[in-house]
């Protein structure tokens, strides 16, 4: 069973910074894309940033220039460095990973979510 465990959420003032981490554990063959999504109250879950196994990144327009996604393959961990946080960044942030399980079955897993609250 594959688990994604997020950490690093919390309360921060507008303009501040936070770094989220997500570690993948369990039995799998390969992790391909890792990503961060977020869901604010009353809104749909949206992609924040993604990174492929070839280190290609993509970002939502709303976070470009402020957030940076990175990964550490030896630790099966993905990070999201969030700078210049805005009140509208307040949401539950979810980690996502896809790839292959042992036996080459598809892997698509989500973390449990971590709350990020930005105050004025």
């Amino acid at each position: 069973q594959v688990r994604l465990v997020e950490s690093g959420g919390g309360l921060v003032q507008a303009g501040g910074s936070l770094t989220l981490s997500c570690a993948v554990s369990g039995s799998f063959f390969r992790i391909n894309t890792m990503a961060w999504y977020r869901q604010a109250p009353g809104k749909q879950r949206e992609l924040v940033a993604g990174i492929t196994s070839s280190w290609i990144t993509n970002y939502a327009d709303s976070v470009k220039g402020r957030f940076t996604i990175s990964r550490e393959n030896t630790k099966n961990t993905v990070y999201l460095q969030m700078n210049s946080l805005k009140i509208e960044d307040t949401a539950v942030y979810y980690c996502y990973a896809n790839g292959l399980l042992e036996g080459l079955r598809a892997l698509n897993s989500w973390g449990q979510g971590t709350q990020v609250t930005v105050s004025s």
Side-chain angles (χ1 to χ4, degrees), residues 22-72:
C22 172
V24 183
S25 64
S27 183
F28 55 87
F29 180 73
R30 185 175 70 224
I31 299 293
N32 292 332
T33 296
M34 304 183 81
W36 289 95
Y37 286 74
R38 68 186 180 187
Q39 188 166 19
K43 294 188 177 182
Q44 289 188 328
R45 190 173 298 189
E46 63 175 358
L47 175 68
V48 177
I51 183 168
T52 71
S53 56
S54 303
W55 300 91
I56 297 171
T57 59
N58 66 294
Y59 296 90
D61 288 343
S62 59
V63 307
K64 283 180 181 176
R66 300 188 297 121
F67 291 9
T68 301
I69 190 169
S70 61
R71 63 190 287 173
E72 196 168 355

Side-chain angles (χ1 to χ4, degrees), residues 5-119:
V5 180
E6 300 113 333
S7 61
L11 174 65
V12 65
Q13 285 191 322
S17 298
L18 279 177
T19 300
L20 305 182
S21 302
C22 172
V24 183
S25 64
S27 183
F28 55 87
F29 180 73
R30 185 175 70 224
I31 299 293
N32 292 332
T33 296
M34 304 183 81
W36 289 95
Y37 286 74
R38 68 186 180 187
Q39 188 166 19
K43 294 188 177 182
Q44 289 188 328
R45 190 173 298 189
E46 63 175 358
L47 175 68
V48 177
I51 183 168
T52 71
S53 56
S54 303
W55 300 91
I56 297 171
T57 59
N58 66 294
Y59 296 90
D61 288 343
S62 59
V63 307
K64 283 180 181 176
R66 300 188 297 121
F67 291 9
T68 301
I69 190 169
S70 61
R71 63 190 287 173
E72 196 168 355
N73 289 336
T74 57
K75 296 183 178 180
N76 297 313
T77 299
V78 62
Y79 305 94
L80 186 68
Q81 173 67 44
M82 305 184 292
N83 298 326
S84 302
L85 282 160
K86 303 177 180 180
I87 292 175
E88 51 264 41
D89 294 319
T90 295
V92 178
Y93 284 69
Y94 297 91
C95 178
Y96 168 80
N98 68 26
L100 293 174
L101 297 168
E102 292 182 352
L104 302 184
R105 289 175 294 124
L107 162 64
N108 288 285
S109 289
W110 292 88
Q112 80 285 357
T114 186
Q115 176 71 45
V116 172
T117 302
V118 185
S119 64

